[in-house]
Amino acid sequence: MTTPHDLDDRLRAELAALGAPEKRRDLGERLPDGGPLTGAQALALFDAQLTSRLLDLAGQWLHGFGEGYHTIESAGHEGNAAVAAALRPTDPALLHHRSGAFYCLRAAQAAGAFPTAPPPPVPPTPAPEADPDAAVDASPDAGPGTAAASSPSAAPPAGGGSPGSAVDGSPAADGSPGTAARAEVHGSPGAVPGTSSGVSPDEPAASSAQRATPASSAVAPAPSAVIPDPAAAPALPAAVHESHDLPAQRGTGQDAHIDPTSQEQRSTLREPERSWNESAPIGAVSYQDLERPGAAGEAGSLPAGAPAIVVDADGDATVGVPDLPQPAPDDAFAAAARDVLRGIVASVEEPAAGGRQKLFGRADLAVVPTAANAGSHLPRAVGLGLALERLRRGARPADGEPEAAAWPADSVVVCSFGDASVNHATVTAALNTAGWYDHTGLRIPVLFVCEDSGGSADGWVATTLRSRPGIRYFAADGTDVAESYRVAAEAAAWVRRHRRPAVLHLGAVRLMGQGDAARDPLLATARLLVTSGYAGGEELLSRYDERGWQLRRIAEEALDEPKLASAVDVVRELAPRRPVRVARAVAEAAERAAGPGAGARAEAFGGKPPELTGPLTLAQSINAALADGMLDHPRMAVFGRDVAAGGGAHGVTEGLRDRFGAARVFDTPRDETSILGLGLGAGLAGMLPVPEIRYLAYLHSAEDQLRGEAATMRFFSRGAFRNPMVVRVAALAGEDGLGGHARNDNSVAVLRDVPGLVVAVPARPDDAAPMLRTCLAAARVDGSVCVFLEPAALYDARDLYADGDGEWTAEYAEPGAWADRHVPIGRARVYGIGSAEDLTIITFGSGVRMSLRAAATLAAEGVGSRVVDLRWLAPLPVADIIREASATGRVLVVDETRRSGGVGEGVVSALVDTGYVGAARRVAGLDSFVPLGPAARQVLVSEEAITQGARTLLAR
């Protein structure tokens, strides 16, 4: 086990032992072996990595004296800084908890402190007799930068797989998975494993004859990597084949393949003027300045930090390279460190969660905060990718509707996870869904990044990731920053170009565990800087120490910042309720439906709007309300299992796809985790998702998407991000026991204890439509996450007291009446039967219908009852409960969920907490699963049980 102290001592000793470079190179030059980075870029990556490492040590230090509350370290995973560098700072990122270096580099990118690369060198013109087949495969699926690179192969990442390789996820012709794009690209022995074959997933690779190329053939260069510019994707550096008789010389400063211009000539060429971002502190040294030497022959004195001109005794002039400057005290890396340290000490100034949780998140860095519990954020990433593609294709907001997140149209969603998470159900679901949609022809621009520290069985992670159909596979050794950057840039460019999913398998090492300290990525980057001639070991050690003192100062400052000091402060951003604005949104929707949208509404309903069709059932009313919602919210989408083709299991969504198209009403894989994940991502992108879960029992396998992801978004981002969503669920039980437990689950406890979640249960058709409109308005106005439980037993019910009376149907309200019939969240509905002075029955869902029947029976016996339909299970309508209970002094709680953990417990607790002193009794379902057929009646609430419970209560 490597301790923080051991890790620090080892790194310091190794840095000191690196010595000085044989020959200094200018930071503006590329790596001497033709790698994709300049010295300035490599130094910036080193700074991101060492800042992350020092944050790990600072977290342990703070925890040691009781002031640090998070010690999950990123040590050994610092290769993810190269992934950040290969992306744009505007690409949305959902990161796991070992992403310190990624976050630091992203902060530098956003501040304009990550340097650009110089233009690529122009290669020699190939001889006219060159074999035309020697050109790089020009397949239309070959993305930017698919040429072979010239850097030597690195050790395979943990978990197996060739480093730096892009492999088709579909089986090859010989039946073995992922055999495309090996080291023999174009038949050149000098080519490196890691270049893409240029073949899209599920498409055949080019034949060996098509790929064969003489070793001496010239290859056209790809564009240079220009990272900070958000308007262009990071491109790859020039890729040149190595000659058999002239191998590249790593670390010597000599490389005849890269630039025909000599080193001395290059050192005097002036780069185009580049100004540092305005947010940089006064006096800070920009990486851009490090790679901008003064032009030869300039008048006046040289600027500070410029190369010195030395003239020897023979009169020959040479250009020296200045020593590395110390890190600026308040540069972008220090700012990123301040964010992280604030999270560790739970400061209210922490930009993501404001002291509520330590995680990586910040809106202006496009880093979406996530709990990252075993990959639970991956389904959201898939949903975000799908939504961004839909928005890119022209979905427009309605008048007054909030704009979507300001992500560019060609953004790539990146989400990272650890190798252990490969085995988790949520990761499997996300990868399966991404591949499923790719198979069906829908585009999802998501780059999955699996950081493999070797904790899984040897080769298992690579085998698992390679085998995913429809997902392109890339691999790199994360301890090699140059290779990681090159392969990550290739992967990101491929996803950005094709709008299709890919996975980057990035090798890592768990340094503060059982990992091999010799594979320390920070030390590997330091060696690269020294052997390439950009810095000396002592300079890097000094840089490490200086940054360490900076972080010590920042940590001490963070300790003095306030922490959350009251319950109000903690829950402020949990789930804000603005009922007046919600009511106004409903009224405005009514005005649009009756005014400018009247024509479109009439057309959508075939000239006969639902208010003119006569009394509707519960299912019909919900269907009409969904259609009105789709008309009012152009970014609203309805999706789930068979909701498009079949109208859902109960026909509630029937006809919606024909009216609004397959882009807005669509089927999903039959996986509830993926359905909810699609909703989470769509809400995050600015859409209004309405997913359907076929049965309540199916929700339980996916409930963490609501508890751990949906409900925590505002809490973890101080309201900077939100994921509005209305989840429709066919719920609760029917007396006939059709389908048994799977179709009759009556447990909602898992929903009621999720903080901030809105849980609605409409019982009547004339409540269902206005309650659904309220949920849609709350999602749009407040970003609320609502679960709309639809009593399946009441979908097609028409009668109340007698067959044919039609009293359980209702007219659909015309738009002009929507505002008057608005149902606010947390308000109950009360029915008076008889004198309504003897008994209060509090219930919901199917219990409302049964209780009204029981009340009629009691009325015939001279007992007046008032039946309270809760309508909302979270939040409970406590004020209405207390008022109606106090009116009679006798309360019968009818709860069709289970006795233990049921809704009735919450109602009785509300009565006790508010000082109710009258009599109370419960009638509830048994603590049992619902059996098949008539046996269901033995464990569920019945009309007879309600009547008998009321009589017992009245007899006291």
Side-chain angles (χ1 to χ4, degrees), residues 425-495:
T426 53
V427 173
T428 299
L431 295 175
N432 181 75
T433 301
W436 187 87
Y437 274 116
D438 189 79
H439 178 75
T440 62
L442 292 178
R443 297 299 185 234
I444 299 184
V446 177
L447 177 60
F448 301 100
V449 180
C450 178
E451 299 182 19
D452 185 357
S453 60
S456 300
D458 187 32
W460 170 247
V461 175
T463 300
T464 300
L465 297 178
R466 286 175 184 268
S467 65
R468 304 306 308 189
I471 299 179
R472 193 166 182 97
Y473 177 88
F474 296 83
D477 180 1
T479 66
D480 183 336
V481 72
E483 178 189 298
S484 297
Y485 173 79
R486 176 179 61 80
V487 178
E490 181 182 351
W494 190 90
V495 173

Side-chain angles (χ1 to χ4, degrees), residues 223-310:
S224 63
V226 182
I227 300 304
D229 180 10
L236 296 179
V240 182
H241 281 293
E242 294 179 10
S243 169
H244 291 296
D245 56 356
L246 186 60
Q249 300 177 26
R250 231 184 222 278
T252 64
Q254 308 295 326
D255 194 339
H257 300 292
I258 300 304
D259 194 341
T261 307
S262 68
Q263 180 179 337
E264 290 77 9
Q265 288 173 316
R266 289 197 304 271
S267 65
T268 60
L269 293 177
R270 183 177 179 84
E271 293 288 338
E273 191 71 21
R274 304 184 188 97
S275 61
W276 199 13
N277 188 286
E278 293 181 356
S279 64
I282 297 175
V285 178
S286 168
Y287 286 100
Q288 309 285 14
D289 297 331
L290 296 178
E291 51 175 25
R292 193 176 64 218
E298 273 191 303
S301 61
L302 291 171
I309 300 177
V310 181

Side-chain angles (χ1 to χ4, degrees), residues 55 58-59 62 67-72 103 335-361 554-555 558-559 561-564 716:
L55 285 169
L62 290 165
E67 293 289 351
Y69 309 104
H70 188 90
T71 58
I72 297 177
Y103 185 83
R338 188 179 298 275
D339 290 348
V340 177
L341 288 168
R342 282 171 164 169
I344 291 173
V345 302
S347 164
V348 297
E349 301 298 329
E350 192 269 329
R356 295 171 181 84
Q357 181 74 17
K358 161 63 186 72
L359 38 71
F360 296 108
I554 294 171
L559 286 172
E561 294 176 349
K563 295 177 173 57
L564 296 168
F716 285 163

Side-chain angles (χ1 to χ4, degrees), residues 801-816:
Y801 300 114
D803 291 345
D805 65 15
E807 293 196 30
W808 205 253
T809 61
E811 301 282 344
Y812 189 85
E814 62 180 359

Side-chain angles (χ1 to χ4, degrees), residues 498-519:
H498 296 286
R499 318 305 294 165
R500 298 174 68 182
V503 61
L504 171 59
H505 184 190
L506 192 67
V509 56
R510 190 68 54 81
L511 287 179
M512 292 192 196
Q514 302 299 328
D516 181 5
R519 297 185 61 229

Side-chain angles (χ1 to χ4, degrees), residues 641 649-650 694-698 729-747 790-793 795 896 929-933 936 940:
R641 295 176 57 174
H650 303 277
R694 177 169 289 200
Y695 299 113
L696 180 59
Y698 295 178
V729 186
L732 306 174
E735 292 182 352
D736 58 6
L738 179 64
H741 167 67
R743 297 188 181 184
N744 295 274
D745 188 23
N746 61 341
S747 174
E790 301 166 3
Y795 270 140
E896 64 174 308
F929 300 106
V930 179
L932 187 68
L940 297 175

